[in-house]
Amino acid sequence: MKIERATLREIPLRLKEFFQISSGGSQDRRILLLTLEGDGLQGWGECVASADPSYAYETTDTSWHILTDFILPSVVGTELHSPEAVLDPVWWIRGHGMAKAAVEMASWDMAARADGVSLSQKIGGVRDRVPVGVSVGIKDTDEELHDQVQGFIEDGYARVKIKVKPGRDIDMLSGLCERFPDTVFMADANSAYTLEDVDILKALDPLDLLMIEQPLRYDDFLHHARLQEQIETPVCLDESIKTEWDTELALKLKSCQVINIKPGRVGGLSTSCRIHDMMADAGLAVWCGGMLESGVGRAHNVALASLPNFTLPGDISASRRYWDRDIVSPEFTVADGHMAVPTGPGIGVEIDTDFIESISTRVATFGV
Ligand code: OSB
Ligand code: MG
């Protein structure tokens, strides 16, 4: 199968509400969508970069640059022997995993469609529905937070992740655990603490949180290991894990007990599967994170989360948690703490191309 053509589009999508994390926040997402075409087939991918570099160094604009100036001109016109190999022509590009992932994931979708199987089947998924949770941004008041959490509990999410930062941590989380004693909570600090804050993080032990995600620096492994020695709550790494080599290092150093795999962060589904396997071999669980994706990215995430070792609920929420109108149909929904894995060919959802074209702010096309 040859990759005859690639189309990259930027679309603005407005979140229903501002999403605040310790390092930044956003409401107006600028999402890049990639379509690969060849042999009468299409494959879709989404780039998870944010508009600003507050989560990772990549942004919507760096991704556009790397994709249009380097990756797409080299990949279009090549033979797609396997989805893993699609990026071989640009093996020399360092980093930029989010830009690369858009291409890699679109090629998996295309390859699954070529075989007439769902993406989940193509990558070895074993579940027809996956446990899902929700990620709640930082709120100024406990009242606001409790109201929102109450709503998500009513929606049936299997666990609730709370964004934390210094000053919005111990008291806020204690209040939540007291008010909602039957709910499984976890926290995500997006690197807001240092090892000097160990007493704050230790004080969370009695709350029995499912885990604490990325408490320390985005690029740190050693201090996370030192921290894990001193606290009971399992440490989960997000930002720190960009490759399988990062995973090897984290396992060797015992920097974490859990990894949040985001295919869009680690360069795609092939690396995601390898990290999944490495963690399974180490006897450690993984879960699928989210980057406030549109329905295209969400469809990839749900397929990934159907692999055997994704035993913990993912940050894979219903379309209506994010958007007034998603770009796929049917929209993703949650029932009984689970989301159904699409069964149609490839990512298995219908993509609303008319809507996408009508809102695109820029388009770049490569190939005939
Ligand atoms: O740290 O997991 C994170 C969103 C944007 C950037 C970073 C993170 C998040 C989330 C949202 O937590 C998860 C979702 O997509 O629902
Ligand atoms: Mg995170």
Side-chain angles (χ1 to χ4, degrees), residues 19 55 135 161 163 188 190 213 238 262 290-292 322:
F19 187 80
Y55 167 84
S135 173
K161 166 168 133 183
K163 294 287 184 177
D188 184 0
N190 291 105
E213 185 176 334
D238 174 358
K262 297 177 179 174
M291 287 293 289
L292 309 171
Y322 307 95

Side-chain angles (χ1 to χ4, degrees), residues 135-153:
S135 173
V136 182
I138 294 170
K139 296 279 177 299
D140 291 336
T141 66
D142 284 352
E143 197 186 358
E144 240 184 306
L145 178 64
H146 287 208
D147 285 352
Q148 192 164 42
V149 166
Q150 172 82 51
F152 288 137
I153 292 170

